[in-house]
Amino acid sequence: MPQREVFPIDQNWCFRQADSDTQNFLPVAQFPTNVHLDLMHNKVIPNPFIGQNENDVQWVGEKAWIYRTTFTLPHLGRRKAVLAFDGLDTYAAVRLNGHQILETENMFIPERIDITKCLKIQGDNVLEIAFDSAFLIGKKIVEKRPDHRWGCSNGDPSRLAVRKAQYHYGWDWGPTLMTCGPWRPIWLELYSSRISDLYFTTKVEKSLESAEVVVMADVEGSGEEVQFEILLEDENLGKVTASIINGVATAAFKIKRPELWFPARHGKQPLYVLHGTLSFREVECDSVSKRFGLRRAEVIQRTLDDAPGTTFFFEINNVPVFCGGCNWIPADSFIPRISPQKYRDWVKLIFNGNQVMVRVWGGGIYEENAFYDACDEMGILVWQDFMFACGNYPAHQEFLASVKREAIANVKRLRHHPSIVIWAGNNEDYQYREDMNLDYDADEKDPQRWLNSNFPARYIYEKLLLAVTKELVPGVYYHFGSPFGGKDTRDPTVGDIHQWNVWHGTQEKYQNFDLLIGRFVSEFGMEGFPCINTIDGYLPKGKEDSDRYPQSSTIDFHNKASGHERRIALYLVENMRYKFEPIEQFIYCTQLMQAECLATAYRLWKRQWKGPGKEYCAGALVWQINDCWPVTSWAIIDHHLRSKLAYYVIRRELSPITIGMKRIVQAKFADKYTRAHFETILKFEIWASNLSLNARTMVVDLRAWDIITGKEIFCKSLHPAFTLPPNRSIEITELTFPVSKNNANEESRTVVAVYLIENGQQVARCINWPEPLKYAHLQRPKQLSIKVSSGSAMVQISAEVPVKGVALECSDDAVAWADNCVDVVPGEVVELGVEGLEFIDEGKIGVRYLGL
């Protein structure tokens, strides 16, 4: 029996508009592909990312398109021939040699079609795929189902009817670009029998001393047995041959003292390989391999010692993990052009940023394999949403059937990844239900009544997806939605919350993030402009463009957030002095404001990770890590992988060892009958966080300077040997700061620094400034020194006065800073690592700081 053979159908593709019989077929840009990429390649449309071209290409999503190729058949023999479509976007009719073989209506479902009887044994086989307009079909579905309460908070409501990446309809950070096309690979498979799925369940004992791996292979065709092997770094750990019974082969492995997979900075990430070989009469027919990791992964929800509600934290291999991390959206509006290397580059940035979790948001896609592979290798935990977001989805029978197929296909594809530790039913659909006052009775347990309510998608989240995950990934926690928990989605004491009362909602001051805590904060954020290179890249005339100023129509067009002008202005004017010109300084101010906001959140929330029984906050995932196009958004790294200042400050706040400080200014009145006689008291709360798994003993030092003169006014060792217990935060002291003259406003001109020192080396520092920063009389340093080390791998910064937010810049993307946006105080040299500087003229290094 011959082996299975697989051939990519990726050559000779061409396309044209379906309603134009006179139009010639044009060559595609690449394969896989989509229609916008191909139209740009043939110069039919302009780049939608440039200027306001997005408006000029909207017609594309309202047209039908045809893709065509030809291929010849390799020797078939007595084998079956199957065409495998990994992804068609979205409504497609597939014809082979004039015969319709497939219709699709779901972008997320891979399809397989037996084409043996349709093939030409000799000559060209013609494969043609006609893509209809998902936008127009969605509109018609809405019209046909007027009884459903169609509504959403981003994009067009018709998106809810269509199983397509929801962000294609436009979001508050992304353009409306209604793509279509063969967006994932197409394969021709020839075989008599094959392993259709290779999968397993793992159980690591609580003691971590042993693990059981039960492996299974689903077999199609006439195979007799499957040989299973497990390897680790090329060492064969076991080999078992199992007979095929009712299409399934099963075997079990016991592994003593397993090499366990840990999150980044908590341990190593060893990856085993499971290899399955199918044979018939001792002849190999097919083989499949998958990598996997061994780990215990649990979501712990238990009562707290002295606070309401329950915990919500991840425990990996018996180790509680504070999940500092980010939210992920698709990295491009045109997914087929994201290379595996670019996925790896993105995940590497997450890893280098000291982040330990990434949430794959529910309005995008079930990501490409390269993304999850990189997370497995680098130890990045994945929170995986199902693809529903910000709306009231229907639940008629055809829709449910499609969703069930989608869920099964994608859970099966991804279930071997050790990085995926949670599946969630949706993004903010329960929150939308609350905002619209749709039906929901937590005590109502009859699923049929859910379907008959005006919030029928509850059936999807609480029954359909629950059943799929329970069957296919029983060892991975399933969460009904994000956010979800407690009496409603805003309950901070149960489950997770999306904390948008900074920026959205009540628009609180970000200094008050400690009052906006949740057991797990899976979204929060602040906008910041991208760097000037990114803006110059989307302005049609670059640096010479007349719209090269912050309030221009083109720059506003590249910010999709409703009310962004008011919100950016609010947080800027509340916190710092700024100016619109030059635009580079305005960009810097928005990025510094974003950085200060997000650093404050991480610092204050991580403070509440206080050990067993006191896990008051167990995670914070910033919205968002990335962008799908060049835009002003909440991203901390822009579309071109250029880090904003917030990326660096978050990296420091998520370091294994950090120290934090909060300034409290109080007026103490002589008695309750006066407002004229009082004393100003300046206090500091100081704490440290140790996310490592070992206790550390540190010296704690404190110093203070006058903002205006740069004179050191206080210096004290707070502790000669303070022990930081492992994997928690601990309070160090509350200090009343001495002033030389009462009520002389000294507190408004005092900068305070606290340090952790181990074996004579500075491990962590925190510089605290009087806020709001706009009131501070910041001085321009006369002796700001920027020195490049002899090997060009380090830059040293010093100054004679306190300087806020020193940011180094270089227009050359070859230069990559390991750290940036640092506060500088007198008597201290701050060192920043850098790569690529050896090839750059030092004169190209620019510097910015607050008050420049």
Side-chain angles (χ1 to χ4, degrees):
M1 183 181 294
Q3 283 192 329
R4 181 174 70 105
E5 294 184 280
V6 181
F7 304 92
I9 306 298
D10 59 1
Q11 301 296 314
N12 307 317
W13 282 95
C14 55
F15 80 109
R16 69 170 174 84
Q17 193 172 315
D19 61 2
S20 178
D21 293 334
T22 60
Q23 187 183 68
N24 293 327
F25 277 89
L26 299 171
V28 299
Q30 59 177 70
F31 200 87
T33 190
N34 70 34
V35 67
H36 289 80
L37 292 174
D38 298 331
L39 291 171
M40 281 191 284
H41 176 69
N42 288 279
K43 296 182 171 51
V44 177
I45 63 170
N47 185 346
F49 290 3
I50 303 299
Q52 301 182 39
N53 290 343
E54 176 196 346
N55 291 334
D56 298 328
V57 302
Q58 291 306 304
W59 64 273
V60 175
E62 298 174 13
K63 296 293 184 180
W65 300 89
I66 296 175
Y67 279 77
R68 176 183 290 175
T69 191
T70 59
F71 64 92
T72 57
L73 180 67
H75 177 67
L76 181 61
R78 302 170 116 187
R79 294 178 294 179
K80 174 192 294 188
V82 168
L83 273 180
F85 302 86
D86 286 358
L88 298 176
D89 177 13
T90 292
Y91 290 95
V94 183
R95 300 176 69 84
L96 179 64
N97 299 325
H99 302 281
Q100 182 160 310
I101 60 172
L102 174 67
E103 284 188 309
T104 71
E105 58 180 15
N106 189 320
M107 173 179 176
F108 305 121
I109 298 178
E111 301 283 1
R112 298 176 57 84
I113 300 296
D114 186 341
I115 58 168
T116 309
K117 295 180 180 179
C118 302
L119 280 171
K120 293 181 179 178
I121 303 300
Q122 308 224 340
D124 286 342
N125 288 273
V126 180
L127 178 63
E128 187 174 276
I129 310 174
F131 292 92
D132 213 335
S133 167
F135 178 74
L136 296 182
I137 289 178
K139 287 287 191 182
K140 293 174 183 176
I141 293 174
V142 171
E143 290 174 355
K144 289 178 181 178
R145 296 188 176 275
D147 293 340
H148 180 65
R149 289 270 299 270
W150 300 96
C152 60
S153 56
N154 276 285
D156 189 271
S158 65
R159 69 174 174 83
L160 305 171
V162 179
R163 296 312 296 148
K164 174 179 175 59
Q166 301 288 271
Y167 82 108
H168 286 166
Y169 288 79
W171 221 264
D172 55 7
W173 36 257
T176 301
L177 292 167
M178 293 293 291
T179 60
C180 71
W183 73 290
R184 278 181 169 161
I186 299 174
W187 311 90
L188 173 65
E189 295 186 23
L190 307 178
Y191 60 91
S192 297
S193 60
R194 72 179 184 112
I195 297 175
S196 59
D197 196 11
L198 180 67
Y199 54 106
F200 51 86
T201 60
T202 64
K203 182 179 180 181
V204 177
E205 295 297 327
K206 182 71 173 176
S207 68
L208 308 181
E209 291 296 318
S210 66
E212 181 182 51
V213 183
V214 178
V215 299
M216 288 150 280
D218 292 346
V219 175
E220 176 189 347
S222 54
E224 288 183 336
E225 60 187 21
V226 176
Q227 183 183 82
F228 298 103
E229 292 179 273
I230 292 182
L231 300 94
L232 179 64
E233 296 180 347
D234 297 326
E235 179 186 355
N236 193 313
L237 301 182
K239 185 183 295 186
V240 176
T241 299
S243 298
I244 299 165
I245 301 174
N246 296 325
V248 181
T250 304
F253 293 83
K254 285 279 191 179
I255 299 177
K256 294 182 178 180
R257 294 181 294 279
E259 296 285 334
L260 297 178
W261 186 96
F262 280 90
R265 282 165 286 277
H266 289 73
K268 296 180 180 180
Q269 293 79 45
L271 293 172
Y272 292 79
V273 176
L274 170 63
H275 189 71
T277 302
L278 171 66
S279 60
F280 180 74
R281 295 178 182 174
E282 299 185 352
V283 176
E284 181 178 323
C285 305
D286 193 14
S287 64
V288 177
S289 295
K290 288 187 177 179
R291 297 191 307 177
F292 68 97
L294 290 173
R295 84 297 185 257
R296 290 176 60 89
E298 298 178 85
V299 175
I300 307 298
Q301 299 179 80
R302 64 188 180 208
T303 58
L304 291 143
D305 288 350
D306 54 2
T310 54
T311 63
F312 192 95
F313 68 86
F314 292 82
E315 186 175 87
I316 311 297
N317 301 327
N318 303 335
V319 176
V321 178
F322 181 85
C323 291
C326 60
N327 284 267
W328 170 271
I329 65 171
D332 203 315
S333 292
F334 307 132
I335 298 161
R337 69 179 176 188
I338 310 173
S339 68
Q341 184 59 51
K342 179 159 280 191
Y343 274 115
R344 180 166 294 276
D345 291 343
W346 273 113
V347 177
K348 186 67 172 177
L349 282 166
I350 294 170
F351 173 85
N352 287 343
N354 288 325
Q355 299 180 32
V356 75
M357 175 174 275
V358 59
R359 173 175 172 247
V360 179
W361 168 77
I365 64 170
Y366 305 95
E367 273 297 349
E368 299 293 334
N369 295 332
F371 173 84
Y372 301 100
D373 288 342
C375 290
D376 290 345
E377 293 167 17
M378 299 185 208
I380 305 300
L381 300 174
V382 175
W383 173 310
Q384 178 67 52
D385 282 0
F386 284 96
M387 294 300 117
F388 302 88
C390 301
N392 184 29
Y393 285 85
H396 50 273
Q397 289 306 307
E398 299 90 341
F399 191 83
L400 292 176
S402 182
V403 166
K404 184 175 182 178
R405 288 189 65 212
E406 168 192 324
I408 291 172
N410 285 283
V411 172
K412 281 186 174 182
R413 176 172 71 91
L414 299 177
R415 61 182 166 180
H416 64 286
H417 290 285
S419 53
I420 300 177
V421 293
I422 182 173
W423 285 84
N426 65 82
N427 171 79
E428 295 185 355
D429 289 358
Y430 286 97
Q431 188 170 298
Y432 181 84
R433 181 210 67 77
E434 291 166 3
D435 293 343
M436 296 295 107
N437 198 29
L438 300 176
D439 298 340
Y440 191 86
D441 180 358
D443 296 325
E444 177 56 73
K445 303 301 181 183
D446 182 357
Q448 191 59 45
R449 289 182 179 271
W450 304 345
L451 286 172
N452 294 332
S453 74
N454 60 17
F455 181 55
R458 180 182 181 184
Y459 183 93
I460 297 173
Y461 313 139
E462 298 185 29
K463 183 173 175 62
L464 191 156
L465 298 179
L466 175 64
V468 169
T469 54
K470 186 176 181 180
E471 177 184 352
L472 299 179
V473 281
V476 179
Y477 177 74
Y478 174 70
H479 198 44
F480 287 161
S482 180
F484 189 88
K487 62 182 183 296
D488 57 38
T489 61
R490 294 168 177 84
D491 185 343
T493 68
V494 180
D496 69 316
I497 64 168
H498 292 185
Q499 184 48 269
W500 281 110
N501 281 322
V502 171
W503 181 271
H504 289 303
T506 54
Q507 297 181 0
E508 303 289 333
K509 296 180 183 295
Y510 63 70
Q511 289 84 354
N512 295 333
F513 263 130
D514 53 346
L515 305 178
L516 305 173
I517 195 172
R519 296 289 174 254
F520 195 105
V521 185
S522 47
E523 281 191 23
F524 69 102
M526 175 58 67
E527 280 204 351
F529 269 54
C531 84
I532 191 61
N533 282 5
T534 296
I535 291 174
D536 286 342
Y538 71 65
L539 290 172
K541 296 182 179 179
K543 292 182 179 180
E544 307 305 317
D545 201 288
S546 60
D547 263 7
R548 195 179 188 262
Y549 63 95
Q551 297 168 297
S552 73
S553 64
T554 302
I555 288 180
D556 266 358
F557 187 82
H558 283 252
N559 188 333
K560 299 299 187 179
S562 176
H564 63 85
E565 304 95 335
R566 298 190 303 275
R567 289 175 169 85
I568 290 177
L570 169 67
Y571 285 99
L572 279 175
V573 79
E574 278 188 344
N575 288 286
M576 59 189 63
R577 285 175 277 174
Y578 66 96
K579 52 188 176 182
F580 288 108
E581 295 180 353
I583 186 175
E584 290 85 352
Q585 187 66 15
F586 179 77
I587 291 169
Y588 164 83
C589 287
T590 69
Q591 288 198 14
L592 179 63
M593 181 266 292
Q594 180 191 38
E596 289 288 296
C597 170
L598 301 180
T600 300
Y602 279 106
R603 188 181 308 126
L604 293 173
W605 290 340
K606 193 171 68 165
R607 181 185 186 183
Q608 299 305 316
W609 176 251
K610 294 194 171 184
K614 301 179 185 299
E615 302 96 342
Y616 308 118
C617 181
L621 308 180
V622 69
W623 184 270
Q624 62 214 64
I625 187 70
N626 62 327
D627 278 323
C628 67
W629 75 314
V631 63
T632 298
S633 77
W634 298 273
I636 61 173
I637 305 173
D638 75 25
H639 177 63
H640 299 292
L641 285 86
R642 294 170 179 142
S643 299
K644 299 179 188 178
L645 300 181
Y647 172 78
Y648 302 103
V649 301
I650 291 171
R651 176 182 176 274
R652 292 198 294 273
E653 293 297 338
L654 290 178
S655 296
I657 305 292
T658 58
I659 189 164
M661 183 166 28
K662 181 176 180 178
R663 178 184 299 237
I664 301 171
V665 181
Q666 298 173 325
K668 182 179 180 182
F669 293 93
D671 55 52
K672 64 181 180 180
Y673 300 105
T674 183
R675 292 192 60 80
H677 304 287
F678 65 92
E679 171 186 6
T680 300
I681 298 175
L682 177 59
K683 290 184 178 180
F684 289 94
E685 297 174 351
I686 301 172
W687 65 92
S689 300
N690 176 10
L691 296 186
S692 76
L693 303 183
N694 298 301
R696 305 276 289 272
T697 299
M698 306 276 178
V699 174
V700 185
D701 285 348
L702 185 142
R703 299 171 67 192
W705 297 264
D706 185 290
I707 281 181
I708 297 174
T709 67
K711 178 183 177 182
E712 185 174 281
I713 57 177
F714 190 78
C715 181
K716 182 180 181 181
S717 179
L718 299 181
H719 286 281
F722 189 87
T723 298
L724 278 58
N727 201 14
R728 70 192 67 181
S729 297
I730 185 171
E731 301 298 309
I732 296 176
T733 190
E734 182 179 291
L735 175 75
T736 299
F737 192 83
V739 295
S740 59
K741 186 178 179 181
N742 192 42
N743 296 340
N745 205 31
E746 286 188 22
E747 66 279 356
S748 69
R749 54 186 288 173
T750 303
V751 175
V752 179
V754 64
Y755 303 89
L756 290 176
I757 299 169
E758 185 180 44
N759 299 324
Q761 298 294 317
Q762 184 188 117
V763 176
R765 72 201 280 259
C766 180
I767 314 295
N768 183 279
W769 300 74
E771 292 191 90
L773 289 165
K774 65 182 180 180
Y775 292 160
H777 293 283
L778 300 171
Q779 302 298 296
R780 289 194 177 190
K782 297 178 181 179
Q783 300 172 31
L784 180 61
S785 173
I786 311 292
K787 293 182 179 180
V788 180
S789 67
S790 58
S792 299
M794 191 77 68
V795 176
Q796 298 176 326
I797 309 171
S798 62
E800 84 286 5
V801 293
V803 187
K804 177 65 186 174
V806 177
L808 302 184
E809 300 176 345
C810 183
S811 60
D812 194 318
D813 285 338
V815 175
W817 306 103
D819 200 1
N820 212 337
C821 191
V822 294
D823 296 342
V824 177
V825 291
E828 185 177 355
V829 177
V830 179
E831 295 184 337
L832 305 183
V834 61
E835 293 181 358
L837 205 56
E838 63 270 25
F839 308 111
I840 304 298
D841 181 355
E842 289 183 18
K844 290 187 176 181
I845 300 176
V847 61
R848 295 190 185 278
Y849 52 85
L850 190 60
L852 179 65

